[in-house]
């Protein structure tokens, strides 16, 4: 895969499997994700495995939008990734979490690849209120990973 359009990483003092479980529990993602308001499963598969789909409801200030996501990788303790589409058909992005075991827990790297064409970049910018999506995502990734760390390290 090409170079991500944005990425961030963090050290978390928790086992990789526990951190993966938090990330893969998509219906609770809004508890630690900076832009996600809520998520619900779409279709008959309601567990984190490749091919499963979910609808993400996101917000930036007063603006709200939804996307349909398809899980592309779900390796417990290692990787969780999904492909994001607007209305289920127009490419938006690929999001990926890679988890690497460390001496004191794990390192989590979150990456995204912007897959929007020119038209979707303009429309998406207007719909979300974000002109610089890569810069916005980089800031939100740091916030998201800090929140994930706080939840994962909670006693």
């Amino acid at each position: 895969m090409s170079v991500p359009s944005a990425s961030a990483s963090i050290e978390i003092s928790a086992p990789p499997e526990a951190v993966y479980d938090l990330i893969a529990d998509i219906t609770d993602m809004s508890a630690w994700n900076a832009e996600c308001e809520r998520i619900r499963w779409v279709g008959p598969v309601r567990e984190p495995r490749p091919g499963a789909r979910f609808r993400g409801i996101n917000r930036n200030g007063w603006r709200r939008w939804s996307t349909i996501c398809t899980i592309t990788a779900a390796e417990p303790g290692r990787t969780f990734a999904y492909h994001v589409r607007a209305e289920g058909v127009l490419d938006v992005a690929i999001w990926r979490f890679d988890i690497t075991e460390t001496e004191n827990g794990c390192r989590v790297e979150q990456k995204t690849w912007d897959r929007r064409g020119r038209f979707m970049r303009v429309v998406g910018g207007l719909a979300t209120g974000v002109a610089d999506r890569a810069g916005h995502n980089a800031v939100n990734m740091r916030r998201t990973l800090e929140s994930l760390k706080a939840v994962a390290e909670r006693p």
Side-chain angles (χ1 to χ4, degrees):
M1 200 174 278
S2 63
V3 174
S5 50
S7 66
S9 64
I10 197 165
E11 297 285 332
I12 299 179
S13 296
E17 296 77 14
V19 173
Y20 174 87
D21 288 346
L22 288 170
I23 293 168
D25 182 5
I26 59 118
T27 58
D28 199 33
M29 190 180 284
S30 62
W32 50 267
N33 189 292
E35 202 167 62
C36 175
E37 189 169 81
R38 70 182 178 278
I39 292 178
R40 66 176 175 78
W41 290 107
V42 174
V45 180
R46 297 180 182 268
E47 61 183 346
R49 67 177 193 204
R53 296 173 55 222
F54 59 92
R55 176 178 297 276
I57 308 297
N58 304 297
R59 77 171 189 294
N60 180 33
W62 59 269
R63 290 178 167 93
R64 287 183 167 71
W65 66 95
S66 70
T67 58
I68 297 291
C69 305
T70 304
I71 296 173
T72 58
E75 300 172 43
R78 298 187 60 206
T79 301
F80 186 76
Y82 51 94
H83 187 168
V84 181
R85 291 184 173 95
E87 299 307 313
V89 295
L90 299 171
D91 263 348
V92 174
I94 294 173
W95 286 84
R96 183 179 178 99
F97 292 86
D98 288 312
I99 305 166
T100 306
E101 188 170 8
T102 64
E103 189 174 312
N104 297 315
C106 62
R107 178 178 183 79
V108 177
E109 184 176 15
Q110 185 181 20
K111 299 177 265 194
T112 188
W113 291 263
D114 191 336
R115 310 269 300 185
R116 299 172 300 157
R118 184 181 309 247
F119 174 76
M120 281 303 292
R121 286 179 201 261
V122 171
V123 171
L126 294 171
T128 65
V130 177
D132 175 13
R133 178 47 71 178
H136 181 80
N137 282 346
V139 169
N140 275 349
M141 287 172 151
R142 286 190 291 281
R143 290 177 48 212
T144 291
L145 292 177
E146 287 291 338
S147 295
L148 177 64
K149 176 182 176 78
V151 171
E153 293 180 352
R154 192 177 301 150

